[in-house]
Amino acid sequence: MNVGIDLIHFSTSDYYLGLDAFAEEKNIDVDKFYIGIGQEKMSIAPPDEDVVSLAAKAAAPILEQIDKNSITAILFATESGVDQSKSAGVFLHGLLNLSSRCRVIEFKHACYSGAAALQMATTMVRANPKEKVLVIAADIAKYDVDTSGEATQGCGAVAMLVTESPRIIAIEPGSGYHTEDVMDFWRPNQRKTALVDGKYSTKVYLHSLKQAWQHFTEETGRTFDDIQHFCYHIPFTKMAEKAHQTLAKVAKVKLSPQEFKAQTLPSQVYNRIVGNSYSASLFVGFCSLLDNLNENMANRRVSFFSYGSGCVAEFFTGLMQPGYEKVLMSASHRKQIEQRQPLTYAEYLAFYHEVDDEVENIEFERHNKGPYRLAGIKDHKRYYQTL
Ligand code: HMG
């Protein structure tokens, strides 16, 4: 039985900060960002946008195409959770008016949780093909101002419907894993922003890739040449390029510049202008591949490398399904990205500091253009609005 992603759609916020404006403010050569880390823009969430409103924006176009009462579970992956107890997915469940015969759970391990939720969903469907699982990966990447991480912020959400006989990609059994207790990036409970040992984190990422690949080849017997397209977790696009160079080296494969580009570049187009979206980033990369490769990918194998700091990593693959191109929502992705409004550095800082969802009562000024927004907090309870 084939199990995998039947529909996929992603969302991002209505605003961005260009790294040209960022470089000018910080008096840094812009090529450090455009070339050095391979980033041009970062999506910035206004105060009335959170992972629930982003997730609803990502999921709604999927629900319009199916009987939404057929969804049996929501697996919501995030490290920007909105409550220490209630899962973000239950807020989403209410906002989208889903059936009560649907269970909801939140997944967490840094950027890895999106892949963990997807794999859990495939396991659920293999055990009971009647299951239709809505997987959400949604995050807002936020670092302290004037730290090395500030240029690698961003936000986004990806919604994936996981079913049997999927129309887009069948996820193949067999993965390689790597887990190691390290402190490369973390966010203690009392902090809104992540702490990071930046250079160390890039080394652990590449080490985890080598270990997970080794395990993957032992488990599946597959080789580099069995894979046509490679998707990586993308904190910034240069990281994905370094990952692919590393993998080719470990697999002892010599790639021409054209082969290298063809295998990885289409999956980086969106991430370069959206920024890091943590748990969603790998799947924003997959959407980017689907929307930006001008070739038919039917029956080709795509690999996914998920890395979550701390750290947990997984390498797995899927097979593209014939006719997948008929169900893509590429136009919606492009429209969202193109319609974003640029912010000056001062406007970005105003959003950055305005967010205050720890207070008991607040009504947020309207910045988010919808279709869903965080309207306010009353007696410590978040409430949302459909526009
Ligand atoms: P930095 O100190 O700002 O930058 O840190 P740098 O000085 O290392 O420069 C970056 C690159 O730009 C270098 O190239 C420079 O040579 C080059 P490299 O040596 O890396 O090949 N450069 C230039 N190139 C052209 N023209 C110029 C120029 N100037 C410099 N004028 C760092 C960079 C990535 C450390 C920083 O951005 C950071 O701390 N980011 C946050 C952490 C991060 O993203 N880590 C990635 C791996 S961990 C991960 O992916 C997990 C994560 O997503 C979280 C989760 O799991 O939840 C983060």
Side-chain angles (χ1 to χ4, degrees):
M1 180 187 23
N2 274 348
V3 174
I5 303 172
D6 186 57
L7 289 171
I8 186 166
H9 182 251
F10 100 85
S11 70
T12 191
S13 63
D14 298 312
Y15 300 89
Y16 74 86
L17 177 64
L19 284 162
D20 48 355
F22 183 86
E24 199 180 324
E25 170 70 27
K26 308 276 176 183
N27 204 14
I28 297 175
D29 180 356
V30 72
D31 281 347
K32 171 169 177 182
F33 306 116
Y34 285 2
I35 299 169
I37 61 168
Q39 289 301 115
E40 273 177 47
K41 293 173 180 169
M42 325 185 247
S43 278
I44 301 293
D48 57 340
E49 183 92 88
D50 67 4
V51 287
V52 174
S53 59
L54 279 171
K57 190 168 20 168
I62 291 182
L63 301 186
E64 279 164 19
Q65 298 179 43
I66 59 164
D67 169 12
K68 65 181 184 181
N69 292 326
S70 64
I71 292 176
T72 52
I74 299 174
L75 307 185
F76 196 120
T78 188
E79 56 180 299
S80 331
V82 296
D83 192 287
Q84 296 281 20
S85 175
K86 180 168 169 167
S87 71
V90 172
F91 286 102
L92 177 76
H93 180 278
L95 195 53
L96 297 178
N97 201 16
L98 295 177
S99 160
S100 57
R101 292 193 170 171
C102 165
R103 58 265 206 244
V104 180
I105 188 163
E106 189 161 309
F107 276 61
K108 184 176 79 177
H109 182 89
C111 302
Y112 171 64
S113 61
L118 174 63
Q119 290 291 22
M120 176 64 85
T122 62
T123 306
M124 288 165 75
V125 177
R126 281 192 189 106
N128 175 6
K130 284 190 198 155
E131 295 265 14
K132 273 193 196 320
V133 183
L134 182 64
V135 172
I136 304 280
D139 268 306
I140 297 175
K142 206 168 173 191
Y143 295 88
D144 283 346
V145 169
D146 289 331
T147 61
S148 70
E150 192 187 4
T152 62
Q153 299 180 113
C155 67
V158 178
M160 296 173 268
L161 185 69
V162 176
T163 64
E164 69 153 343
S165 307
R167 284 173 286 178
I168 296 181
I169 188 167
I171 300 298
E172 296 180 293
S175 286
Y177 318 127
H178 178 72
T179 293
E180 199 176 338
D181 183 3
V182 291
M183 293 301 280
D184 62 329
F185 166 106
W186 64 106
R187 181 162 71 86
N189 280 342
Q190 72 281 7
R191 287 184 63 97
K192 289 266 172 234
T193 49
L195 296 166
V196 65
D197 188 343
K199 297 256 159 54
Y200 177 54
S201 73
T202 61
K203 290 196 174 77
V204 189
Y205 176 116
L206 295 178
H207 174 71
S208 302
L209 170 63
K210 289 184 210 161
Q211 300 301 314
W213 170 254
Q214 179 63 34
H215 186 207
F216 171 81
T217 56
E218 287 166 21
E219 284 294 306
T220 64
R222 293 196 187 104
T223 66
F224 190 97
D225 290 335
D226 294 327
I227 301 167
Q228 285 73 51
H229 303 280
F230 296 76
C231 293
Y232 294 94
H233 166 55
I234 308 183
F236 47 91
T237 63
K238 193 68 175 288
M239 190 75 239
E241 280 181 32
K242 286 188 180 174
H244 200 53
Q245 277 158 3
T246 303
L247 196 67
K249 200 169 161 197
V250 169
K252 299 191 172 60
V253 174
K254 281 228 174 328
L255 295 172
S256 69
Q258 289 78 3
E259 286 169 325
F260 187 88
K261 277 187 187 165
Q263 288 175 356
T264 57
L265 258 198
S267 69
Q268 296 172 17
V269 176
Y270 289 161
N271 303 68
R272 191 175 169 91
I273 50 178
V274 165
N276 197 353
S277 52
Y278 292 161
S279 62
S281 169
L282 172 64
F283 304 105
V284 173
F286 181 49
C287 289
S288 179
L289 171 66
L290 295 172
D291 295 353
N292 293 295
L293 186 81
N294 298 320
E295 290 165 22
N296 195 291
M297 292 164 69
N299 303 313
R300 292 190 190 171
R301 182 169 282 120
V302 178
S303 71
F304 298 86
F305 173 65
S306 174
Y307 174 75
S309 283
C311 70
V312 185
E314 180 166 349
F315 195 101
F316 60 99
T317 53
L319 280 181
M320 293 300 299
Q321 300 299 292
Y324 74 90
E325 68 282 359
K326 296 188 195 107
V327 295
L328 300 183
M329 290 184 248
S330 318
S332 166
H333 298 156
R334 291 195 186 105
K335 193 169 157 205
Q336 279 187 71
I337 290 176
E338 280 159 18
Q339 283 184 349
R340 288 177 305 167
Q341 199 176 308
L343 297 172
T344 62
Y345 188 81
E347 286 166 337
Y348 144 77
L349 267 195
F351 277 175
Y352 184 100
H353 291 299
E354 195 186 321
V355 180
D356 196 352
D357 56 7
E358 277 170 358
V359 296
E360 194 177 333
N361 289 294
I362 184 168
E363 219 173 279
F364 289 107
E365 197 183 319
R366 184 161 157 198
H367 299 288
N368 180 342
K369 293 173 188 153
Y372 304 94
R373 68 183 285 270
L374 172 65
I377 297 169
K378 196 164 187 288
D379 301 329
H380 291 291
K381 296 172 193 156
R382 299 170 96 78
Y383 60 97
Y384 294 86
Q385 189 183 12
T386 305
L387 298 166

